[in-house]
Amino acid sequence: MDKVIIFDTTLRDGEQAAGGTLNIQEKLDIAKQLEKLGVDVIEAGFPISSTGDFDAVRLIAKEVRTPVICALARAHPDDIDQAWEAVREAEHPRIHVFLSASDIHLLHQLKKSREEILEMSRTMVARAKKYTDDIEFSPMDASRTEPEYLYQILAAVIDAGATTVNIPDTVGYAIPAEFGSLIEGILQNVPNINRAIVSVHCHDDLGLAVANSLEAVKRGARQVECTINGIGERAGNASLEEIVMAIKTRKDFFNLTTNINTTQIYRASRLVSELTGFLVPPNKAIVGANAFSHESGIHQDGVIKMPITYEIMDPRTVGIPASSLVLGKLSGRHAFRERLAELGYSLSEEDFNRAFNAFKQLADKKKEVTDKDIESLVAEELRTVSEVYHLDRVQVSCGDRGIPTAAVRLIAPDGQVLADAALGTGPVDAVYKAINRLVGVPNVLTEFTVKSITEGIDAIGEVLIRIESEDVTYTGRGADTDIIVASAKAYINALNRLLAAKKAAG
Ligand code: KIV
Ligand code: ZN
């Protein structure tokens, strides 16, 4: 059976999504999870775009050894040299060169002729080839490029050494049957196409990214570029989990496989959502909270009698933890450690101890601690590992008569205990004002969302916020059974990221 190469671009195109900035450690954590997931290629970033991106690609290239580590470059000498510098220490390095190909882009953006573009593509691929054998080329906006011209470009770059030719539907304009025919046309009309893998990269502007990618695979493409949770520029990219599970679940139709360890999908989805701050909608296929929950009585009846009646996939194959009630306040370290292992966590002793203490505190407040609670508390504890300011205490007074008031105590980086109080329009506003008086970093709150992670009146509430400072957005998350405390934790988390980024930038 043929294999489809899974090329993950969560850390490049995914991170391009508005408000999705990740720091270097977060990128490394995601890359490690992608390695566990079994992706074949990780596009780790666009090294010329910033020193932060360059450093992240270089670190991932050094630390993540199994997949191919790919760096993106425009068809400019400096981009290519910089991309190579970033990936040169990878076990399997790849340089991905891209250049617009459609007349729309040539005329209105690049102001270059078709001949000039052809020549640049050829010479820049040849330049990259001097560094490494594994070269990918993307003619940007391929789906709006005249096919005959596209064939010429592809033949030229393959002659110059490209081993993968990627066909991007950059603006999400293609329709499945049409995109499939384009792929078939390439396979039939590019004379040296047998020397390269045909790849596709689809955007979701019309909600067709996954459908277009699958149609392309059906017609002969053997690499798909995709992202966890489908995040990416504008409406996003094709979602990795949907592509992989479609190929797996409908093996009878595709007769294809991937190298993906599907039981790591859910962990990857949670991690990316957690670190980027992009929440997964409940109805999202494969990884949404409702993807495997049956509400209608008829469906429930069927699933109880035989899951296959209404369930085309077993939730365990994508690593969704069983929603059974697992632990309570009498559970000890051993039971907690075992449950963590079953959920796929391997924590250091120090992290385990922090998580266990948090579990005990939660079990005092909440009778039944579920798998989702455990996931949330582990994420919360790991979030506090690299913190600058630590939230020590928060107390509010509010109601429909008095003026909302908050008192906050923080531990500063030098261990000093700082305390202050403030009034606000509501309890969260008062808490944020009190924190501002202590930390003193100007910023604007641009987004504030609260959701409950588990069911019930004693559920853990999770707060997601975004703040903006000097045109950069920082995400913060916090979870607690008290949503005011969760809000304070989220704000401290965002401020800590802001301060760490400023420190790293010097
Ligand atoms: O959407 C696009 O065309 C891209 C290219 C860089 C492959 O992201
Ligand atoms: Zn893209």
Side-chain angles (χ1 to χ4, degrees):
M1 213 185 287
D2 261 6
K3 211 159 247 174
V4 177
I5 297 166
I6 299 296
F7 175 116
D8 181 279
T9 183
T10 305
L11 295 173
R12 200 278 297 168
D13 213 321
E15 211 227 0
Q16 253 167 258
T21 26
L22 297 162
N23 66 34
I24 189 163
Q25 184 56 45
E26 292 165 340
K27 287 184 185 176
L28 182 62
D29 289 348
I30 291 178
K32 286 186 174 164
Q33 177 60 26
L34 293 173
E35 185 178 37
K36 276 195 201 156
L37 180 63
V39 307
D40 302 284
V41 187
I42 295 177
E43 186 163 54
F46 187 7
I48 196 91
S49 68
S50 69
T51 44
D53 235 35
F54 177 87
D55 292 344
V57 177
R58 197 164 56 164
L59 183 66
I60 291 167
K62 280 189 199 156
E63 304 255 327
V64 181
R65 307 304 284 174
T66 314
V68 172
I69 305 299
C70 173
L72 184 68
R74 287 168 302 183
H76 292 318
D78 291 352
D79 279 46
I80 290 167
D81 300 350
Q82 191 77 340
W84 173 244
E85 279 309 310
V87 291
R88 64 184 307 158
E89 288 185 65
E91 186 75 39
H92 311 285
R94 175 181 293 187
I95 300 176
H96 177 187
V97 183
F98 74 99
L99 182 61
S100 285
S102 69
D103 285 341
I104 300 175
H105 283 205
L106 266 55
L107 193 67
H108 301 292
Q109 192 180 15
L110 300 188
K111 311 219 184 297
K112 291 205 183 300
S113 68
R114 285 186 176 188
E115 290 67 36
E116 285 172 295
I117 295 294
L118 196 60
E119 194 44 33
M120 281 169 78
S121 307
R122 202 193 329 256
T123 53
M124 288 305 116
V125 166
R127 184 180 186 101
K129 192 74 177 180
K130 291 203 181 116
Y131 291 127
T132 174
D133 259 352
D134 190 345
I135 305 297
E136 174 166 331
F137 180 80
S138 290
M140 196 154 73
D141 204 18
S143 54
R144 293 193 299 170
T145 301
E146 192 204 39
E148 293 301 327
Y149 177 55
L150 191 59
Y151 303 154
Q152 269 183 35
I153 297 184
L154 298 179
V157 295
I158 294 171
D159 268 344
T163 42
T164 299
V165 286
N166 178 45
I167 311 304
D169 180 24
T170 303
V171 291
Y173 180 73
I175 301 294
E178 173 197 51
F179 194 61
S181 301
L182 177 66
I183 300 304
E184 221 165 65
I186 289 167
L187 288 165
Q188 284 163 3
N189 294 296
V190 177
N192 50 4
I193 198 70
N194 60 331
R195 283 165 32 204
I197 301 278
V198 176
S199 165
V200 289
H201 174 111
C202 297
H203 278 272
D204 210 30
D205 300 65
L206 293 174
L208 293 170
V210 169
N212 283 330
S213 307
L214 291 173
E215 184 65 27
V217 159
K218 191 69 189 157
R219 308 270 203 115
R222 285 295 173 268
Q223 175 178 285
V224 175
E225 302 199 354
C226 44
T227 59
I228 302 292
N229 300 336
I231 63 170
E233 183 82 26
R234 305 183 309 281
N237 289 68
S239 131
L240 180 148
E241 58 279 9
E242 293 176 26
I243 304 267
V244 167
M245 289 313 289
I247 292 174
K248 184 178 169 78
T249 309
R250 296 304 312 274
K251 202 157 45 185
D252 59 317
F253 180 77
F254 288 104
N255 200 27
L256 292 167
T257 56
T258 69
N259 280 333
I260 297 297
N261 172 1
T262 59
T263 61
Q264 290 294 327
I265 285 180
Y266 182 72
R267 288 291 312 282
S269 166
R270 290 287 303 165
L271 182 69
V272 169
S273 168
E274 162 82 23
L275 297 181
T276 58
F278 294 129
L279 300 177
V280 176
N283 61 327
K284 165 85 178 62
I286 318 294
V287 289
N290 294 347
F292 294 93
S293 75
H294 304 274
E295 279 302 305
S296 129
I298 297 173
H299 290 205
Q300 287 173 349
D301 173 62
V303 169
I304 289 164
K305 287 177 176 149
M306 179 61 86
I308 198 177
T309 49
Y310 292 92
E311 229 168 53
I312 59 165
M313 295 167 274
D314 181 335
R316 285 169 300 186
T317 55
V318 294
I320 294 190
S323 56
S324 54
L325 306 171
V326 280
L327 301 175
K329 84 178 189 190
L330 297 178
S331 310
R333 296 173 70 84
H334 184 67
F336 185 63
R337 198 186 291 278
E338 277 202 344
R339 197 66 211 126
L340 283 180
E342 275 163 31
L343 291 172
Y345 293 103
S346 59
L347 302 186
S348 68
E349 206 45 34
E350 195 188 336
D351 289 342
F352 172 80
N353 286 336
R354 294 157 65 102
F356 184 67
N357 285 341
F359 159 70
K360 278 297 190 190
Q361 281 174 25
L362 180 64
D364 271 342
K365 294 186 203 156
K366 211 171 175 275
K367 212 167 120 220
E368 294 156 339
V369 179
T370 65
D371 289 345
K372 286 193 174 149
D373 290 322
I374 294 175
E375 280 189 336
S376 161
L377 72 83
V378 172
E380 183 64 32
E381 286 314 302
L382 297 183
R383 250 196 299 269
T384 56
V385 169
S386 55
E387 58 187 6
V388 183
Y389 284 93
H390 175 73
L391 179 72
D392 186 38
R393 280 182 203 182
V394 55
Q395 203 178 339
V396 294
S397 141
C398 60
D400 63 351
R401 297 294 144 116
I403 302 173
T405 312
V408 170
R409 206 161 85 169
L410 303 182
I411 312 288
D414 58 1
Q416 215 189 327
V417 177
L418 311 172
D420 211 330
L423 306 176
T425 52
V428 175
D429 184 47
V431 168
Y432 283 21
K433 283 191 171 130
I435 293 175
N436 284 344
R437 290 166 68 96
L438 294 171
V439 177
V441 180
N443 70 82
V444 180
L445 179 71
T446 55
E447 197 179 318
F448 181 92
T449 324
V450 192
K451 73 164 187 163
S452 123
I453 290 183
T454 48
E455 295 96 41
I457 193 72
D458 57 358
I460 293 186
E462 189 178 52
V463 173
L464 164 75
I465 65 160
R466 289 187 210 280
I467 58 173
E468 220 174 87
S469 170
E470 292 170 2
D471 287 335
V472 183
T473 300
Y474 302 89
T475 305
R477 272 193 171 187
D480 201 278
T481 48
D482 180 323
I483 58 163
I484 303 298
V485 178
S487 306
K489 285 180 176 175
Y491 191 41
I492 290 292
N493 181 234
L495 287 172
N496 282 337
R497 284 169 182 236
L498 186 162
L499 292 166
K502 293 227 151 107
K503 190 172 166 210

